[in-house]
Amino acid sequence: MKHLILFLITITAGINGCSQIGYTAYQKIEGLDVSTKWGKARDADGTKKPALLLAFENTNNYPVSYSFDILLYYEGLLRESGRIEDVCLDGLKSSVGKLNGIYFIPEKFTEEQLKNSDFNFVLEEIQVVKIAQCIDEEEIPQE
């Protein structure tokens, strides 16, 4: 019975998109729904650290490529920034947080600062471009 309940929860979460797994809607732009939440992710050394987890849902029938800047503010001043570029997402698909590697680990903030009301983040310059198809890196011929 427990397995059935877990299965139903998993299916329901998949059908209802990112909102069922704790993400907050951030913005909708050109058929791309962007959601965020704070959680933990492993850095390059394998250490779990606070991270901005990002979820994207492409509601278009065609693949898109998206890029954006992440701006982190503390006490009204820009303290850290990052950029994610040219991420491909097939039509009617989603990519979520740690599962798909879409997250940002701040390097210049303590966990306390990230929870402080003086901290804020902005996703800026979100660009969404219709493309013919997504290409896996394994499919790109190596020279």
Side-chain angles (χ1 to χ4, degrees):
M1 185 63 161
K2 287 182 184 179
H3 295 295
L4 178 60
I5 292 170
L6 288 174
F7 175 75
L8 291 174
I9 290 170
T10 303
I11 294 296
T12 304
I15 292 170
N16 292 328
C18 301
S19 64
Q20 292 295 319
I21 51 179
Y23 283 80
T24 301
Y26 183 84
Q27 184 175 0
K28 294 181 182 191
I29 182 166
E30 298 181 36
L32 187 69
D33 293 351
V34 182
S35 300
T36 63
K37 82 173 181 178
W38 285 93
K40 298 261 183 180
R42 295 192 187 277
D43 66 5
D45 297 328
T47 306
K48 277 192 171 186
K49 294 190 174 178
L52 178 61
L53 307 179
L54 302 156
F56 297 88
E57 183 177 0
N58 183 2
T59 61
N60 298 303
N61 290 323
Y62 51 82
V64 298
S65 175
Y66 61 89
S67 301
F68 59 94
D69 293 317
I70 301 170
L71 306 176
L72 305 175
Y73 294 89
Y74 192 74
E75 297 176 333
L77 298 173
L78 178 63
R79 307 284 179 148
E80 187 173 355
S81 64
R83 178 146 180 90
I84 295 181
E85 288 193 83
D86 301 324
V87 179
C88 186
L89 187 57
D90 282 318
L92 304 175
K93 298 286 182 180
S94 62
S95 62
V96 179
K98 293 185 292 186
L99 180 66
N100 300 106
I102 308 295
Y103 56 86
F104 182 78
I105 298 175
E107 296 178 6
K108 298 181 180 178
F109 294 92
T110 66
E111 196 163 349
E112 292 76 31
Q113 287 174 316
L114 294 172
K115 293 177 181 178
N116 191 300
S117 63
D118 288 333
F119 175 82
N120 186 33
F121 73 91
V122 176
L123 302 183
E124 190 170 83
E125 307 249 348
I126 301 173
Q127 300 168 337
V128 180
V129 179
K130 179 180 179 178
I131 59 174
Q133 71 180 50
C134 291
I135 300 173
D136 288 334
E137 289 186 21
E138 294 111 29
E139 296 176 16
I140 299 173
Q142 301 296 319
E143 295 181 24

